[in-house]
Amino acid sequence: MKKMKLVMVGNGMAGVRALEELRKLSPDLYDITVFGAEPHANYNRILLSPVLAGEMTLKDIMLNDVDWYADNGITLYLNRKIVKIDRVGRKVIAADGHEETYDRLLLATGSNPFVLPIPGKDLPGVITYRDIHDTNAMIAAAGKYKRAVVIGGGLLGLEAANGLKLRGMDVTVVHLAEWLMERQLDKTAADMLQKSLENKGLRFLLRKQTTALYPGNEGRVAKVSFADGEEVDTDLLVMAVGIKPNDDLARDAGIHCTRGIVVSDTMQTYDPRIYAVGEC
């Protein structure tokens, strides 16, 4: 009997975990193909901070290497981004024109970092903190430059700031709220956290709304300005101000989305052949 064709778009933690469970429950049900936009196989995104801090390597945080896919009979396409879903023809289309048909489609496209809509956001030296590429860019910058500004005093922003500090940079954390990690901590706890981080050499600017980024002589980001008129010089600007579900592919295909892709209790979208898991 011919197997059904399952195509998964996205190659992150949630999607591959779903495939692992599927292989346990019903190993012979599907012929599986996976498309990942990154050049790496499945890795633990949560452990990017220890990589930035120099405590772990990329090899240490891999969850499923390329051999795992081959051993499980899964066809893997890396560095190949899907840009369109043809629901009538039941196929996905990649940026390079490659097409793959499906009987079932699993969307595991994750989330995108939120980028502040301010002048200068596209300057060289302005990055988000989301994947291995971002982590490598920060490590490279720390080897070449001295000053860094991290926008965002949540967990990710503080992890980025700590990693850059450990790599020898002078780091300033800019945060819009009255205290750090305001979603997780009350003011007393946040003040204790801030004091301990200041003792490690981090600097904090709280209640600061970033208004613009300015280039230096080389065209790279060199200055950050705030709503109160204050300015700070920098060589690297990291935005860690939150994430939003990466549901563009689903929206463009006419799949019902609100703040993300809407699914039932069985992770099925409004198109019964298409499912979604994870942050999307």
Side-chain angles (χ1 to χ4, degrees):
M1 188 176 141
K2 192 167 176 283
K3 290 183 184 179
M4 281 196 291
K5 183 82 180 282
L6 171 67
V7 172
M8 184 169 83
V9 180
N11 187 40
M13 295 167 74
V16 178
R17 186 82 178 86
L19 293 187
E20 286 176 345
E21 288 300 312
L22 198 52
R23 300 280 303 146
K24 275 187 214 164
L25 291 166
S26 195
D28 301 317
L29 185 61
Y30 291 111
D31 175 10
I32 303 171
T33 300
V34 175
F35 288 89
E38 290 187 69
H40 309 282
N42 180 36
Y43 60 91
N44 189 336
R45 217 178 273 279
I46 297 162
L47 293 177
L48 284 172
S49 297
V51 174
L52 177 62
E55 295 158 0
M56 298 178 95
T57 65
L58 173 55
K59 193 177 175 192
D60 295 329
I61 69 169
M62 294 305 297
L63 293 171
N64 304 82
D65 59 15
V66 173
D67 292 341
W68 177 85
Y69 298 83
D71 293 344
N72 283 276
I74 296 169
T75 304
L76 174 65
Y77 292 105
L78 292 175
N79 236 346
R80 194 166 278 185
K81 185 177 181 182
I82 297 297
V83 294
K84 188 181 179 195
I85 301 168
D86 176 355
R87 288 166 59 199
V88 178
R90 293 213 302 275
K91 62 185 177 182
V92 293
I93 301 152
D96 62 1
H98 179 97
E99 296 185 359
E100 197 80 31
T101 58
Y102 65 82
D103 296 303
R104 295 287 181 274
L105 179 63
L106 179 58
L107 299 177
T109 47
S111 58
N112 290 325
F114 184 74
V115 176
L116 293 175
I118 54 174
K121 65 180 170 56
D122 298 319
L123 286 170
V126 178
I127 62 173
T128 54
Y129 187 22
R130 187 72 193 139
D131 56 25
I132 286 170
H133 178 266
D134 299 331
T135 307
N136 287 338
M138 288 160 76
I139 292 169
K144 192 174 177 186
Y145 300 103
K146 191 65 186 158
R147 299 164 302 186
V149 169
V150 177
I151 301 177
L155 188 58
L156 193 62
L158 295 180
E159 287 184 341
N162 182 61
L164 291 170
K165 180 67 187 169
L166 287 172
R167 287 191 177 268
M169 296 192 87
D170 295 329
V171 185
T172 302
V173 177
V174 175
H175 195 44
L176 184 61
E178 196 177 333
W179 63 81
L180 299 174
M181 288 181 64
E182 75 284 353
R183 290 189 177 187
Q184 293 90 354
L185 305 178
D186 61 17
K187 189 171 188 314
T188 306
D191 287 346
M192 291 165 71
L193 172 65
Q194 184 176 333
K195 193 168 189 314
S196 76
L197 292 174
E198 284 171 343
N199 290 339
K200 289 184 174 185
L202 293 176
R203 183 168 165 249
F204 295 92
L205 295 174
L206 303 178
R207 296 189 292 278
K208 289 281 184 187
Q209 183 178 356
T210 309
T211 51
L213 309 173
Y214 299 98
N217 296 333
E218 298 171 11
R220 185 183 174 87
V221 67
K223 196 182 295 258
V224 188
S225 71
F226 306 109
D228 61 5
E230 189 177 348
E231 294 181 337
V232 173
D233 294 331
T234 192
D235 306 305
L236 175 70
L237 190 288
V238 180
M239 287 197 198
V241 290
I243 56 172
K244 57 181 190 299
N246 182 10
D247 60 4
D248 295 348
L249 198 59
R251 281 182 193 274
D252 292 346
I255 295 166
H256 181 50
C257 299
T258 51
R259 288 192 306 173
I261 303 169
V262 178
V263 295
S264 70
D265 288 348
T266 60
M267 313 311 285
Q268 191 177 42
T269 70
Y270 276 60
D271 182 327
R273 291 180 182 272
I274 301 177
Y275 293 75
V277 293
E279 289 182 339
C280 63

